[in-house]
Each structure stands twice: as structure tokens, then as C-alpha cells.
Amino acid sequence: MSETNKKSLLCGVRQAVVVTLVLLLLCGVAFPAALTGLSALLFPRQAGGSLVTADGQPVGVANVGQDFTAPYFMKGRPSACGCNTYSEGADGSKYYSDGSEYAGLASGSSNYAPSNPALTERVEADIERFLEANPEISREDLPADLMTASGSGLDPHVSPRGAAVQLPAIAEASGLSMEQLEQIVADNTIGRLLGVFGEETVNVLGVNLDIARAMGLVSETEK
């Protein structure tokens, strides 16, 4: 190889290395740092994870569902990953509210086809549990969203109808009036985007925080 070719090769290698380092610093460090700083400045709550607190303690995230078991709380949609909510045993074991072993952080649905018997069994079991807890509701009156999981398994919302059918049982368990509960649901209902896109939804965590405050279980909440 001639001296000229060697110099040309070294120059090309040097240029490639310099461009790689510059792009790494710009795209891998400067740009993410700028976006992080701007988001923290312009949208501090969202940048911090949209944490929801009760009496000053974080109890959830505004855009992530949870699994509620107390009879005076509203129930969310079914979750293939149990909304990542678990309990710990004395031996350190972790388990879902139904007693099955906690599988770790996850997101997603079971992806069962409509023809899969496992889906039918799961839905039928959920229907029976719901009807047992809400005896005044008939099977035909059950909203579909209360029996079907979202794609992420972490959806914090139910339909207004899915919230309304739960109110009689919640009123009996909580001691709150239907008027109080209906107002709580209204306060946590999110309308269509720009008044046109999507459907109205009710944030279950927001509803349950307001129920807990109305019952005196917590004194202060931030959503």
C-alpha cells in the first residue's frame, strides 16, 4: 500500500471515529438531557411519573391501573398481569390477590383468541364473581369493558356505564349515598379528546381516592 493510500485510510478512519463520537454525544447525551430538562421544567408532574398521593405518600400513578379488592372500592378492568399489584407473605413470597404466584413486572394481555376455552372460562368466572358482589345487577346489564382486559393490562379507566353499575354495592359497603358516589364519578370522568375523539372514561384510582377521603380513610389526596 502506498503512503498516499495509507494516509487516505487513516483519514477515513479518523473521520468515522470523530463522527461517531459527535453523534453519540449529540444524540445519546445532549438531546436526551435537553428533553429531560425541558420536560421537568414545563411538565414537572408528568416527568415525575404522574404520581398520585394520599396523606403525602405515593399510592399509585394516574395512568396505570391497580387491583382493588375492598368491597367499598370500585373495580377496574381485568388484567392479565394483575395490574402488577401483589401482596407479600411472611416468608417474602409475592402473590396476586387471587392467591397465584406473582410473576414479576409485566404488561400485556393474554392474547387469547375468541375461540380459546381459557378465555371463556376466565370471563365466566369474572362474571360470576361480579354478580355475586353486585346481586342487583343482571347478567345482561354487564358492560363489556368490565369483563374484558385492555391490551396493556394496565388501563386505569372503565366506561361510565361500567362505573355506574358498581355504585349500589359500593354505597352499601361504604355507607356513602348514591348522590355522593355519582358526584365522585362525575369528578373523575374524562371527556372525549377535543370533544370529538374517543369515548368518555372514568379513572378508577381517582374514584377510589375520593371514596377513601369521603369515608375518612385518608385526609388529603393529590391526583
Side-chain angles (χ1 to χ4, degrees), residues 110-123:
S110 59
N111 206 31
Y112 289 146
S115 58
N116 194 316
L119 177 61
T120 302
E121 291 175 9
R122 197 275 297 163
V123 172

Side-chain angles (χ1 to χ4, degrees), residues 116-138:
N116 194 316
L119 177 61
T120 302
E121 291 175 9
R122 197 275 297 163
V123 172
E124 287 294 332
D126 284 345
I127 289 175
E128 292 304 319
R129 279 195 293 268
F130 187 88
L131 294 178
E132 184 179 352
N134 300 267
E136 70 286 344
I137 302 299
S138 67

Side-chain angles (χ1 to χ4, degrees), residues 9 19 27 31 53 59 62 71 87 118 126 131 153 158 165 213-214:
L9 178 61
V19 168
C27 301
F31 184 65
T53 63
V59 293
S87 299
D126 284 345
L131 294 178
V158 295
V165 298
R213 186 169 57 183

Side-chain angles (χ1 to χ4, degrees), residues 89-111:
D91 58 355
S93 60
K94 300 177 180 179
Y95 51 90
Y96 293 115
S97 59
D98 62 2
S100 59
E101 183 180 359
Y102 176 61
L105 289 174
S107 174
S109 67
S110 59
N111 206 31

